[in-house]
């Protein structure tokens, strides 16, 4: 039994680095989390995420002033209207956190004037957000 145990452990130890990483587990999620913990962003935006893992991660380890919303399938106008109402009622802008461009569908582009965060342009996880008019917004200022 010991030989089988050691053999299987060696096999999995050697195999582990060659496994394909899934997009929603990419390391750029850590970079996005660091961006979202910015005090100004946390205070001025509602973060809408399409991934429950990112929602949980951000909710547990994000800034205490943040507001995080999880919506997996954002396809209906009623959902967009609710997001807009929540943002308006709380005097915040909206930021979308996503890893798949397909999830940023036409309904969002039609209803929001979204800009890509300059800090996530070349990563798998991305942020698109409304302009809050702050020249010091870390996502929107030029590098």
């Amino acid at each position: 039994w010991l030989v089988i145990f050691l053999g299987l452990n060696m096999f999995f130890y050697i195999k582990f680095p060659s496994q394909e990483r899934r997009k929603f587990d990419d390391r750029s999620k850590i970079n996005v989390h660091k961006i979202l913990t910015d005090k100004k962003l946390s205070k001025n935006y509602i973060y809408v995420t399409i991934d429950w893992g990112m929602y949980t991660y951000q909710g547990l380890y994000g800034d205490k002033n943040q507001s995080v919303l999880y919506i997996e399938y954002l396809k209906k106008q009623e959902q967009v209207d609710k997001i807009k109402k929540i943002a308006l009622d709380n005097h915040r802008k909206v930021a979308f956190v996503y890893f798949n461009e397909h999830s940023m569908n036409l309904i969002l582009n039609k209803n929001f004037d979204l800009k890509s965060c300059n800090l996530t342009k070349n990563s798998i996880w991305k942020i698109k957000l409304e302009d809050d008019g702050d020249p010091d917004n870390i996502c929107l200022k030029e590098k």
Side-chain angles (χ1 to χ4, degrees):
W1 287 110
L2 182 62
V3 172
I4 293 171
F5 176 77
L6 291 174
L8 285 173
N9 275 297
M10 278 291 257
F11 171 76
F12 288 118
Y13 181 78
I14 293 169
K15 184 88 172 131
F16 182 76
S18 65
Q19 292 179 353
E20 186 177 326
R21 181 174 295 158
R22 296 176 290 195
K23 282 187 174 184
F24 53 83
D25 287 333
D26 187 75
R27 291 185 186 269
S28 61
K29 182 188 278 190
I30 296 168
N31 182 45
V32 166
H33 170 70
K34 288 178 184 176
I35 294 166
L36 296 177
T37 56
D38 178 73
K39 297 284 184 201
K40 287 185 178 184
L41 289 180
S42 295
K43 184 180 167 202
N44 295 325
Y45 284 89
I46 289 179
Y47 305 145
V48 179
T49 180
I50 51 97
D51 177 67
W52 70 267
M54 185 61 173
Y55 167 76
T56 304
Y57 182 58
Q58 193 61 35
L60 288 173
Y61 303 109
D63 187 83
K64 66 178 182 173
N65 295 315
Q66 74 180 1
S67 178
V68 185
L69 202 63
Y70 166 63
I71 298 179
E72 188 170 350
Y73 299 107
L74 191 54
K75 295 181 178 179
K76 297 180 182 172
Q77 185 63 43
E78 296 83 35
Q79 293 171 306
V80 172
D81 294 340
K82 284 181 184 178
I83 293 170
K84 284 182 156 191
K85 181 172 178 2
I86 292 169
L88 186 63
D89 290 347
N90 292 284
H91 309 291
R92 293 178 182 239
K93 296 288 185 180
V94 181
F96 292 93
V97 181
Y98 64 100
F99 63 86
N100 182 344
E101 195 65 43
H102 179 68
S103 62
M104 295 303 295
N105 56 35
L106 292 175
I107 196 165
L108 293 180
N109 292 325
K110 185 177 82 172
N111 286 279
F112 294 97
D113 182 21
L114 299 174
K115 299 185 180 340
S116 293
C117 178
N118 292 328
L119 301 173
T120 64
K121 282 192 176 177
N122 296 322
S123 64
I124 290 177
W125 276 89
K126 297 183 184 313
I127 301 171
K128 279 193 177 180
L129 66 163
E130 295 179 302
D131 190 346
D132 63 353
D134 183 357
D136 294 327
N137 184 320
I138 63 168
C139 274
L140 300 178
K141 70 180 175 181
E142 298 298 321
K143 291 181 180 180

